[in-house]
Amino acid sequence: MEETIAGTEAAQIPKQRGDSLLETAVRYAEERHWDVFPGTWLEAVDGVQHCSCSVPACAAPGAHPAREDWATLATGSATVARRMWQKQPTASILLPTGRTFDAIEVAESAGFLALARMERMELTLGPVTVTPNRRMHFFVLPGAAVKVPDLVRKLGWSPASLDLVALGEGAYVAGPPTRFGSRGAVQWACRPTPANRWLPDAEELISPLAYACGRDR
């Protein structure tokens, strides 16, 4: 099954099927210039997948930082990325926000509604991921985390009333094909392509995103 849900033409990065986490992490750093760092991983115990953190009720099994100083580990070097994943080839691929991109997170239902609206508006999108826990992340230029609350207010919404949050410095998103335990893998809703290498500003996407979140309440 194709790892991409919807999107434009094929590009180098999204050829996820059969690719190792190591090679994918290296491509993110080498081709997209994204910082990457290895997170936790999945371990099989009596045929059941468990997070390497050993927390029984882990909220994101195999898909969260493995150590508190994760921000200092993140690298944009393909060579360093390869070295890190060689130590733990099944580690999840985590991408820190607030560096080369921020991410606007919404519920999956609102995200797909917004995507349809953006397509009608002929907006240029950056990459968009959808996670197994039914969340979507729209990649935008850094600085969104600071601007989004005021942008939402200008549209007539209270930021607290919408299931919409911008992730910036100190946060991260999981990159495809990272798996969330038995729930499945993170996938691309919109692939990284040469056409969307230049990310949109949060201001360009906030109106359809806020509208969709408002409809989805």
Side-chain angles (χ1 to χ4, degrees):
M1 179 179 175
E2 181 73 17
E3 285 286 354
T4 301
I5 293 177
T8 55
E9 73 278 5
Q12 289 179 319
I13 288 177
K15 54 179 181 183
Q16 305 277 328
R17 186 178 177 88
D19 282 358
S20 69
L21 288 159
L22 184 155
E23 292 301 334
T24 304
V26 168
R27 285 206 310 276
Y28 287 155
E30 190 171 56
E31 297 175 10
R32 204 72 180 191
H33 305 298
W34 289 340
D35 282 6
V36 297
F37 68 97
T40 53
W41 56 92
L42 296 173
E43 299 175 333
V45 179
D46 295 329
V48 179
Q49 297 276 13
H50 294 275
C51 185
S52 61
C53 73
S54 301
V55 175
C58 180
H64 64 86
R67 40 195 284 182
E68 292 185 3
D69 64 345
W70 61 264
T72 65
L73 296 178
T75 180
S77 164
T79 301
V80 175
R82 181 177 297 279
R83 190 180 307 134
M84 289 194 295
W85 265 271
Q86 283 174 338
K87 293 179 181 178
Q88 183 49 253
T90 58
S92 53
I93 301 173
L94 303 181
L95 312 171
T97 52
R99 300 188 183 191
T100 49
F101 63 88
D102 279 7
I104 301 177
E105 177 181 330
V106 298
E108 179 185 288
S109 51
F112 279 115
L113 177 61
L115 280 177
R117 193 172 180 84
M118 291 172 186
E119 184 175 345
R120 292 195 298 272
M121 297 168 69
E122 298 184 345
L123 295 179
T124 300
L125 295 175
V128 182
T129 62
V130 57
T131 69
N133 59 348
R134 304 180 69 83
R135 305 296 291 178
M136 293 180 72
H137 296 105
F138 290 73
F139 290 23
V140 293
L141 287 172
V146 175
K147 296 192 292 186
V148 160
D150 283 341
L151 292 173
V152 169
R153 290 188 191 96
K154 288 178 181 178
L155 292 170
W157 297 95
S158 163
S161 70
L162 298 181
D163 183 9
L164 181 155
V165 61
L167 305 175
E169 187 175 357
Y172 64 90
V173 297
T178 295
R179 299 191 67 82
F180 279 52
S182 60
R183 302 175 206 167
V186 183
Q187 299 181 58
W188 291 115
C190 289
R191 303 169 180 249
T193 70
N196 64 19
R197 179 173 293 278
W198 303 106
L199 299 175
D201 191 277
E203 193 166 357
E204 299 172 56
L205 306 186
I206 198 65
S207 178
L209 282 170
Y211 170 82
C213 289
R215 286 280 303 273
D216 198 47
R217 291 190 303 172

